[in-house]
Amino acid sequence: MPVRYCPQFPNIVSKSRQVAAYRSYLIDIKMYQILLVAVLSLSAVAGATRVHLEPGQRVEPPVNSGWRVGRRCLPDEWIVLTFALKLRNVDELEEIFRRVSTPGSLSYRQHVSLEEVQVMTKPDGHVRKAVEAWLVQEGGGDRCRATGGGDFLECIVSCGIAERLLDTEFFQYLNNNETVMRANRLYSVPSDVSPLIDFVGGTHRFPPTRRQLTKISSPEALGVTPSVLRRQYNVSDTVGKMSSNKQAVAQFLKEHFSEIDLKEFFLLFGESFTHKDSVDKVYVYTLVGCM
């Protein structure tokens, strides 16, 4: 313990030593207060409530997908987690979508570019820093990188750290020659972190599997075909000829457009109605980090 200032015994130590000892005592008190606050803060974090970011997400593999559960992931095995950071100006983006897609609107068909959308919705810098600080605190922030437009944080972490971060357990799932690690129950994050993240990729969803094609005796045998839909909704044979007509298709499962597949599709299902035989132009936008 430091020597305390004792004014009733001025002859024990000199005045300068008394002042120095008193200052040391105050410093010790201050450090104790800081340490106490830190300990209480850590205790609060440790005991904080947790939030399921995807409470309705299916945990089991899709039915008849071929995926089967194997052993539990070893603590030192590496997996990839993708943290979708909270976007900005989502309400504004929805309003722009409404205006550009509503006939009669002054902004009708005045679409914004992908770059403009990324700038508009890019998460605030403090969001990324706060998530990174949480990951570092849990020991999983040293192998992370921002992807796409800065709205995803992709991290390589051990299964042990991933299970601690998300309060779940990861298991190996197998399908022929493919192997993935997925959580066997809903994951969660601390309540003070949940407002910063939309979801965590690499936890529940399973990649699509390649299925062997079988010869179909009749297109109608599949049940719902273009012909069935056209009859159901009374679709005419009118083919759009305006050069400004565009059709957008989004995919997030590593799929891509194929001219050969389109021709095969029309060969199987397009004989009963009028349609275009090819696509005039294909635009490809790739966003890295979507899992």
Side-chain angles (χ1 to χ4, degrees):
M1 290 290 295
V3 178
R4 299 190 180 188
Y5 176 49
C6 303
Q8 67 270 36
F9 300 109
N11 296 326
I12 296 178
V13 291
S14 65
K15 185 176 182 179
S16 60
R17 291 185 62 190
Q18 293 174 7
V19 173
Y22 186 60
R23 286 178 177 175
S24 177
Y25 172 72
L26 292 180
I27 292 175
D28 285 349
I29 291 294
K30 188 66 175 178
M31 292 301 296
Y32 173 79
Q33 292 173 340
I34 293 174
L35 179 61
L36 179 61
V37 170
V39 170
L40 292 177
S41 299
L42 289 175
S43 299
V45 171
T49 57
R50 300 185 68 89
V51 176
H52 291 105
L53 297 182
E54 300 180 87
Q57 177 61 41
R58 180 187 178 94
V59 177
E60 300 82 9
V63 178
N64 298 326
S65 64
W67 290 104
R68 64 185 188 280
V69 66
R71 60 173 176 79
R72 185 173 176 181
C73 186
L74 300 178
D76 57 351
E77 285 186 274
W78 297 101
I79 62 173
V80 177
L81 297 178
T82 303
F83 297 86
L85 305 180
K86 187 70 69 175
L87 300 177
R88 295 183 302 117
N89 303 319
V90 175
D91 293 340
E92 181 180 348
L93 181 62
E94 291 181 350
E95 177 62 20
I96 292 175
F97 171 78
R98 185 190 64 81
R99 293 200 305 265
V100 302
S101 59
T102 303
S105 169
L106 296 178
S107 302
Y108 181 53
R109 295 175 61 183
Q110 296 182 15
H111 303 285
V112 296
S113 66
L114 175 63
E115 290 74 18
E116 290 174 313
V117 172
Q118 289 179 335
V119 171
M120 180 191 309
T121 61
K122 184 176 182 179
D124 286 322
H126 78 273
V127 170
R128 176 182 169 184
K129 291 181 180 178
V131 174
E132 288 177 334
W134 169 59
L135 294 172
V136 169
Q137 176 181 323
E138 297 295 334
D142 57 339
R143 302 185 68 178
C144 295
R145 66 183 183 93
T147 62
D151 48 352
F152 289 95
L153 195 62
E154 188 178 82
C155 300
I156 301 175
V157 298
S158 68
C159 279
I161 291 177
E163 292 184 348
R164 185 167 69 248
L165 281 170
L166 304 178
D167 190 28
T168 187
E169 295 177 351
F170 281 83
F171 281 77
Q172 182 186 70
Y173 287 82
L174 307 98
N175 192 329
N176 294 326
N177 295 325
E178 295 186 74
T179 302
V180 297
M181 295 293 182
R182 291 294 184 266
N184 71 331
R185 65 171 185 264
L186 292 176
Y187 68 89
S188 63
V189 298
S191 57
D192 55 343
V193 176
S194 63
L196 310 177
I197 303 174
D198 282 325
F199 65 89
V200 181
T203 52
H204 295 317
R205 297 168 182 83
F206 290 80
T209 57
R210 298 180 178 272
R211 297 183 180 179
Q212 184 177 1
L213 296 178
T214 58
K215 187 175 181 180
I216 302 171
S217 58
S218 169
E220 300 295 336
L222 290 177
V224 179
T225 66
S227 297
V228 173
L229 293 175
R230 293 171 71 86
R231 288 197 304 268
Q232 180 69 27
Y233 295 99
N234 194 26
V235 178
S236 69
D237 286 336
T238 302
V239 177
K241 298 180 180 179
M242 290 292 293
S243 60
S244 59
N245 286 345
K246 293 182 176 65
Q247 181 178 9
V249 179
Q251 69 81 23
F252 304 96
L253 297 175
K254 299 180 181 179
E255 300 169 337
H256 62 277
F257 169 77
S258 168
E259 186 76 29
I260 296 177
D261 288 348
L262 180 63
K263 291 183 180 299
E264 182 180 359
F265 178 84
F266 283 145
L267 181 64
L268 288 172
F269 306 110
E271 294 182 350
S272 62
F273 57 91
T274 305
H275 55 79
K276 290 177 65 68
D277 294 324
S278 62
V279 175
D280 296 327
K281 191 170 184 178
V282 178
Y283 297 86
V284 179
Y285 295 99
T286 302
L287 292 180
V288 180
C290 294
M291 296 184 63

